[in-house]
Amino acid sequence: MKLPVPARQMLPLLGITVSAFVFNTSEFMPIALLMDISRSFSQTEAETGIMITVYAWMVAVLSLPLMLLGGKLSPKPLLLLTLSVFSIGQVISGLAPTFGILMGGRIVVASAHAIFWSVAAPLAARLVDKGKSPFALSMVATGTAVAMVFGLPLGRVIGLSLGWRMTFLSIAGVTILALIYLFFVFPRMENDESFSLGDLPGLFRNPAISIIFGMTLFFATSYFTTYSYIEPFLHTVAGFSAEGITACLMLVGASGFLGSFVFSKMFNTYPHAIILIGAAGLIVPLLLFLPATVFWPLLLLLCLTMGVVSTLYGVAMQSEIIRHLSISAAPVAMSIYSGIFNVGIGGGTFLGSTITAAGGLPYIGLAGGLLAAISGALCYFRYLPILRKK
């Protein structure tokens, strides 16, 4: 079977894909093991759950300064160092005797996360020939989709069978194997230019990049306003069984494969359409979330659409950042993008919590849909006109 890219490009690309898998599995793993972790430290789930919020906000705060610092290294040493720090954080988390040390371990992991998602997409695009970057970025997105479909359930099974600590230690083991693999197959690359702090204002003066940042804030907030509380919504409002909720969440994760496939096959031909679908595609599904509870197949279709749109948006925006900027500026812009996305995660989770606490659980889709409309409007009225002028 003929590979989409030469083997010398596919091998390191597979390493980045596996790394994306472990990073995404690790980010959301505490959600799947929250009850067990809270019991081991004699805490409530609410007290333990703070580490999820802290993780997201630490990524948001650390992304830019760590990328500016790490950008002084050439790509291969930076990638290997990031994986090393990530595995150390996982070991600290797995062996933590107190909740405070567990939090410290998660902050170490968040530091590695901040750098990895700043460089993963630009490096994947640089690994392949010109014109093949949509495929490379779809591979990274596939690692994310696999994590959502298989990584989280597998981690939960390990945690329930052998204890939650073994889940973190297992992730560390897989990361070390990925690190060794990349040490041998990842090519040496040099930074063609250097990016300094003084160049930073120029990123925000770039109209396309600044609009991407704005769209991302509203997109991530809209998505996580609904997704963070999709489990209680499906149970309380839609009347799904526990098995039905599990199947629905796996469908959302699996839809990432479809989104990745659509992007790799269609972005080069229909870039404007893919960008608009990504930025505005949550409006209808989220606004229909409550009405669809009377017909469960429609609700499943809406969940599938959410997953596809989320993948399309994430990969399309990363592709656009890379296209608009130089090799040295793209990772820095990606770190800002990652930070803004995590601000959206935290903001969406907080907004969903506030709405739910006020008795508005049935209306989380409405709130998310209104925010998605802002993202769609920014894309249609501000971003696409810039692209049409080029």
Side-chain angles (χ1 to χ4, degrees):
M1 184 180 73
K2 185 179 178 180
L3 295 173
V5 295
R8 61 182 173 78
Q9 298 173 4
M10 179 62 82
L11 291 176
L13 192 56
L14 285 172
I16 293 181
T17 300
V18 172
S19 300
F21 165 79
V22 293
F23 271 85
N24 273 280
T25 299
S26 169
E27 181 177 10
F28 297 108
M29 187 55 65
I31 296 175
L33 299 172
L34 198 59
M35 291 176 61
D36 290 340
I37 296 174
S38 61
R39 280 196 219 99
S40 68
F41 293 114
S42 301
Q43 297 183 153
T44 66
E45 292 175 31
E47 290 171 332
T48 304
I50 191 65
M51 70 178 177
I52 300 170
T53 304
V54 168
Y55 185 99
W57 286 108
M58 288 303 295
V59 172
V61 170
L62 294 173
S63 289
L64 180 58
L66 288 180
M67 191 59 242
L68 288 172
L69 184 63
K72 300 180 183 301
L73 296 175
S74 57
K76 182 173 182 177
L78 178 60
L79 179 60
L80 298 180
L81 177 61
T82 301
L83 291 173
S84 300
V85 172
F86 180 81
S87 60
I88 291 170
Q90 298 295 349
V91 172
I92 294 173
S93 300
L95 300 178
T98 66
F99 182 69
I101 294 178
L102 173 60
M103 283 285 293
R106 292 296 292 171
I107 290 173
V108 172
V109 173
S111 300
H113 177 121
I115 296 179
F116 178 80
W117 288 113
S118 300
V119 301
L123 288 183
R126 287 183 65 184
L127 282 171
V128 299
D129 297 328
K130 188 176 181 180
K132 292 292 185 178
S133 60
F135 169 75
L137 295 176
S138 73
M139 285 286 291
V140 178
T142 297
T144 298
V146 172
M148 298 300 289
V149 179
F150 300 110
L152 291 182
L154 179 60
R156 179 168 170 77
V157 169
I158 294 173
L160 294 179
S161 302
L162 303 175
W164 63 266
R165 297 178 184 278
M166 188 54 66
T167 300
F168 288 109
L169 296 176
S170 298
I171 293 174
V174 175
T175 305
I176 291 171
L177 292 176
L179 190 157
I180 295 171
Y181 173 82
L182 284 167
F183 176 81
F184 288 104
V185 304
F186 198 89
R188 291 197 174 277
M189 296 177 177
E190 296 299 329
N191 292 327
D192 293 342
E193 310 167 40
S194 60
F195 190 94
S196 68
L197 191 60
D199 299 322
L200 192 58
L203 287 181
F204 294 94
R205 287 195 297 267
N206 184 315
I209 298 301
S210 61
I211 294 171
I212 287 175
F213 291 161
M215 287 192 298
T216 298
L217 177 62
F218 286 105
F219 180 91
T221 305
S222 72
Y223 185 85
F224 283 93
T225 295
T226 305
Y227 182 73
S228 296
Y229 290 87
I230 192 172
E231 182 180 13
F233 179 92
L234 292 174
H235 174 71
T236 305
V237 182
F240 276 36
S241 65
E243 293 77 13
I245 293 172
T246 300
C248 187
L249 292 178
M250 290 190 69
L251 180 65
V252 175
S255 63
F257 291 109
L258 179 57
S260 175
F261 176 80
V262 170
F263 178 83
S264 65
K265 295 297 183 182
M266 300 184 67
F267 186 73
N268 278 340
T269 307
Y270 307 105
H272 292 190
I274 295 298
I275 290 169
L276 183 59
I277 291 171
L282 290 180
I283 300 172
V284 173
L286 294 184
L287 292 180
L288 290 179
F289 226 55
L290 179 58
T293 56
V294 300
F295 186 57
W296 68 264
L298 176 58
L299 190 55
L300 287 181
L301 178 61
L302 297 181
C303 290
L304 173 67
T305 304
M306 283 176 59
V308 171
V309 168
S310 176
T311 301
L312 283 178
Y313 180 84
V315 187
M317 289 305 104
Q318 292 178 69
S319 176
E320 288 296 281
I321 289 173
I322 293 169
R323 186 172 68 85
H324 286 301
L325 298 173
S326 67
I327 290 174
S328 63
V332 178
M334 206 70 73
S335 71
I336 299 172
Y337 169 87
S338 175
I340 291 172
F341 203 95
N342 276 274
V343 170
I345 292 175
T349 302
F350 176 78
L351 180 58
S353 173
T354 302
I355 294 171
T356 301
L361 179 62
Y363 306 106
I364 56 172
L366 175 61
L370 293 176
L371 289 167
I374 301 176
S375 173
L378 284 172
C379 180
Y380 186 80
F381 294 107
R382 296 293 306 280
Y383 190 70
L384 290 184
I386 290 175
L387 298 187
R388 294 189 186 106
K389 291 178 182 177
K390 292 191 174 184

